[in-house]
Amino acid sequence: MTSLKSDKRERKCIVSGATGSPDGMIRFVRAPDGAVAADLTGKAPGRGAWVSARPDFVARAAKNGFSRAFKAATRAPDDLAQTVGAGLRKRLLDTLGLARRGGLLAVGFDRVEKMLDKGGAAVLFVASDASADVAKKLLRRAPPGGIVGALTSAELSSAVGEENVHYAALSARPEAVARRRDVARFTAYLAAPTTGAPPQIRGR
């Protein structure tokens, strides 16, 4: 996916020490009792600690990184990395619902095909249980680096409020930038390797 511009200041990952846009990181906050939780909106009050959107980095931060970052005792659940992944997935599904209501998401084969043919799609969603033969017809026209196949038809259907949704496309219009950031962060987290930089949405 083409890099998304952001006017936010760069943040430093407490695990790797690398700096970058907060769009590619996850903010964590500490409660008064020491419990640490992900702030996926990046808007919770108080001081935050930032971790690159990688489950292995989140797991490492949970062991001792948060205590150093907050300079205070912290408590993080053993399954924090999995919890964050589930939270990002829910946020993505919520984002798709908002995009649909805002006229920024095409749903169904015919509408998606039309958006792709016009060059108006930034991200193509193909349900993980969609027909491979049918999906090929859309995948050939997908925007470079903009294919997401990690959601099931049931998840897509629930997100957009329709039945039997196997295909959707997110608009490339400027007003959809915030939605595309949620897609990129979820996909990076889902596909992050154990070493190296987190990938963007996978290409064709």
Side-chain angles (χ1 to χ4, degrees), residues 8-90:
K8 300 176 183 177
R9 293 178 299 172
E10 289 191 337
R11 297 290 188 266
K12 184 176 181 179
C13 173
I14 65 171
V15 174
S16 68
T19 58
S21 167
D23 295 335
M25 296 186 180
I26 298 166
R27 182 176 186 260
F28 291 86
V29 293
R30 178 184 181 276
D33 64 358
V36 173
D39 169 28
L40 298 182
T41 66
K43 297 179 180 179
R47 180 186 173 193
W50 294 80
V51 179
S52 296
R54 291 179 47 154
D56 56 332
F57 281 16
V58 172
R60 287 168 60 183
K63 289 183 178 180
N64 51 31
F66 290 128
S67 295
R68 292 197 304 269
F70 289 109
K71 297 181 180 179
T74 60
R75 293 184 293 103
D78 293 336
D79 63 347
L80 181 62
Q82 290 79 13
T83 300
V84 169
L88 289 173
R89 195 179 199 93
K90 181 181 183 303

Side-chain angles (χ1 to χ4, degrees), residues 95-108:
T95 283
L96 293 181
L98 291 171
R100 178 62 189 279
R101 291 192 289 275
L104 299 172
L105 189 76
V107 175

Side-chain angles (χ1 to χ4, degrees), residues 176-188:
V177 167
R179 309 300 175 208
R180 298 198 296 272
R181 287 184 185 133
D182 284 335
V183 177
R185 188 167 57 160
F186 166 77
T187 309

Side-chain angles (χ1 to χ4, degrees), residues 71-131:
K71 297 181 180 179
T74 60
R75 293 184 293 103
D78 293 336
D79 63 347
L80 181 62
Q82 290 79 13
T83 300
V84 169
L88 289 173
R89 195 179 199 93
K90 181 181 183 303
R91 183 170 175 82
L92 174 59
L93 294 172
D94 291 343
T95 283
L96 293 181
L98 291 171
R100 178 62 189 279
R101 291 192 289 275
L104 299 172
L105 189 76
V107 175
F109 185 92
D110 291 341
R111 292 189 181 92
V112 170
E113 183 178 42
K114 185 176 181 180
M115 181 182 278
L116 290 172
D117 286 345
K118 290 184 176 181
V123 184
L124 169 65
F125 294 87
V126 177
S128 58
D129 50 347
S131 166

Side-chain angles (χ1 to χ4, degrees), residues 113-200:
E113 183 178 42
K114 185 176 181 180
M115 181 182 278
L116 290 172
D117 286 345
K118 290 184 176 181
V123 184
L124 169 65
F125 294 87
V126 177
S128 58
D129 50 347
S131 166
D133 290 337
V134 176
K136 286 180 182 178
K137 300 177 181 178
L138 297 179
L139 290 172
R140 287 194 293 266
R141 308 171 190 174
I147 303 171
V148 176
L151 303 176
T152 66
S153 174
E155 287 177 312
L156 288 174
S157 300
S158 177
V160 304
E162 292 190 18
E163 296 182 352
N164 300 316
V165 175
H166 290 86
Y167 311 100
L170 183 61
S171 173
R173 286 155 51 185
E175 53 265 44
V177 167
R179 309 300 175 208
R180 298 198 296 272
R181 287 184 185 133
D182 284 335
V183 177
R185 188 167 57 160
F186 166 77
T187 309
Y189 193 84
L190 187 71
T194 55
T195 59
Q200 298 297 312

